[in-house]
Amino acid sequence: MKLQQLRYLVAVVDNGMNITAAAQALFTSQPGVSKQVKMLEDELSLQLFVRKGKSLTDLTDEGREIVSRARLILNEVNNIKSLSSELSGRQQGQLAIATTHTQARYVLPEMLESFHRDYPGIAVNLHQGTSDQIARQVQDQEADFAIASGNNEAFGDLVSFPIYRWERIVLVRPDHPLTKLRRISLDELARYPIISYTHSFDTGSDLQLSFAQKNIQPNVVFSAEDPDVIKTYVRKGMGVGILACMAYDRERDSDLVAINAARIFPTSTTWVGFHRDRFLRDYMYAFLKLMVPGAERDSIDQAIEDSSGPQPATSPMSLEALNAHPMMERTFSNCCAGNFNL
């Protein structure tokens, strides 16, 4: 059995049982992948895939067990490589971060600029997507860290730390009737077409629950992952936008009006998380220390140790340390300066 065979096996699964796509992802040939997978099955005397003609349609029960263990082995191989670099003192490597468009565009630039100054030899890769995509990348260890908001069950087994809280805004054109109101309500908001983030109104989400508790049915006409795309369609007059307050840029968005929505929608928390089996190199600890208020190496290690218990680990940082973080309060008043309604 070779590591290459395990890599090929996992790649086939991660590419939807498509050997051609797996070969492209591995920068090798399709016949080579097929041959190595077949050799692995022959050596194990197990059929790992359900086949329909020449196509792979699913994993067998045995295949699922083998793939699960193969992932553990490949993860430990990566950990050994990371440990080797750590012990040799090389400050080179990669930091892969899976996050949303809002975090990548409006929150992370200053922090990553600071990180790059301290660790110029570390290449940072940002993977942007939905919560489900972010969760999958971290679970499959394609990304070192997830930075996201909310309490998605898909993140349940990550070691996670809160970073900051933020509020939502309603974004409209200056001539919109909502700008004439002293305060907006869910009833008033529901009178107009709504544009928001992809999955914002999924069952159990903060926005969906806010309307459901008032027995109000919102008219969601458009959704997108990128807040700048949402703003484009608000400018077109297609509807009113519901966004995170930090997605409002007072200079670039001076043609739009931000309305405080803190009274009608709950405050959200953004957190950073990582797989409990991830080997953290020195620069990864430094990244967490930069992101997490009051984080120190000992407290991070303690959270990892606690994650082996029956409950997912959360931040051991004190509320005082959390509230003292310079990013902690992303409120309407300090996100939206100049062109807004109170």
Side-chain angles (χ1 to χ4, degrees), residues 186 205-216 264-266:
L186 288 176
S205 68
D206 286 348
L207 293 187
Q208 186 271 331
L209 290 174
S210 295
F211 283 97
Q213 288 167 359
K214 298 288 186 179
N215 293 317
I216 299 172
I264 59 176
F265 297 125

Side-chain angles (χ1 to χ4, degrees), residues 67-222:
V67 168
S68 176
R69 293 178 181 273
R71 290 189 189 279
L72 294 175
I73 292 169
L74 294 174
N75 178 57
E76 283 305 307
V77 169
N78 290 332
N79 285 343
I80 290 171
K81 290 179 179 179
S82 295
L83 179 59
S84 173
S85 296
E86 197 73 32
L87 294 175
S88 66
R90 298 197 303 268
Q91 286 299 334
Q92 294 183 339
Q94 292 190 350
L95 183 68
I97 303 168
T99 189
T100 64
H101 287 73
T102 297
Q103 305 296 332
R105 166 66 179 83
Y106 293 98
V107 177
L108 291 177
E110 291 184 6
M111 287 190 165
L112 291 181
E113 181 184 23
S114 176
F115 177 81
H116 181 67
R117 284 197 301 267
D118 293 336
Y119 294 89
I122 306 304
V124 178
N125 299 320
L126 278 181
H127 305 279
Q128 301 170 57
T130 64
S131 293
D132 288 342
Q133 290 169 337
I134 294 168
R136 192 179 312 115
Q137 288 178 319
V138 177
Q139 296 288 5
D140 294 345
Q141 305 218 29
E142 296 173 2
D144 300 306
F145 296 104
I147 299 177
S149 301
N151 298 311
N152 193 314
E153 292 182 359
F155 298 107
D157 61 351
L158 299 186
V159 183
S160 61
F161 304 88
I163 306 172
Y164 67 94
R165 292 191 294 265
W166 52 271
E167 298 172 352
R168 290 179 176 84
I169 59 171
V170 172
L171 206 60
V172 296
R173 300 199 307 188
D175 58 350
H176 197 279
L178 287 178
T179 63
K180 306 298 190 297
L181 300 179
R182 181 175 178 80
R183 292 185 180 184
I184 65 170
S185 65
L186 288 176
D187 289 301
E188 289 287 346
L189 187 57
R191 292 176 56 191
Y192 303 99
I194 291 174
I195 306 172
S196 193
Y197 297 108
T198 304
H199 303 309
S200 280
F201 284 89
D202 285 356
T203 301
S205 68
D206 286 348
L207 293 187
Q208 186 271 331
L209 290 174
S210 295
F211 283 97
Q213 288 167 359
K214 298 288 186 179
N215 293 317
I216 299 172
Q217 181 62 46
N219 179 23
V220 182
V221 297
F222 188 87

Side-chain angles (χ1 to χ4, degrees), residues 101-109 226-228 231 246-249 252-253 330:
H101 287 73
T102 297
Q103 305 296 332
R105 166 66 179 83
Y106 293 98
V107 177
L108 291 177
D226 190 333
D228 291 327
K231 287 184 281 189
M246 56 274 196
Y248 180 86
D249 187 304
R252 295 187 180 187
D253 302 325
R330 289 274 175 166

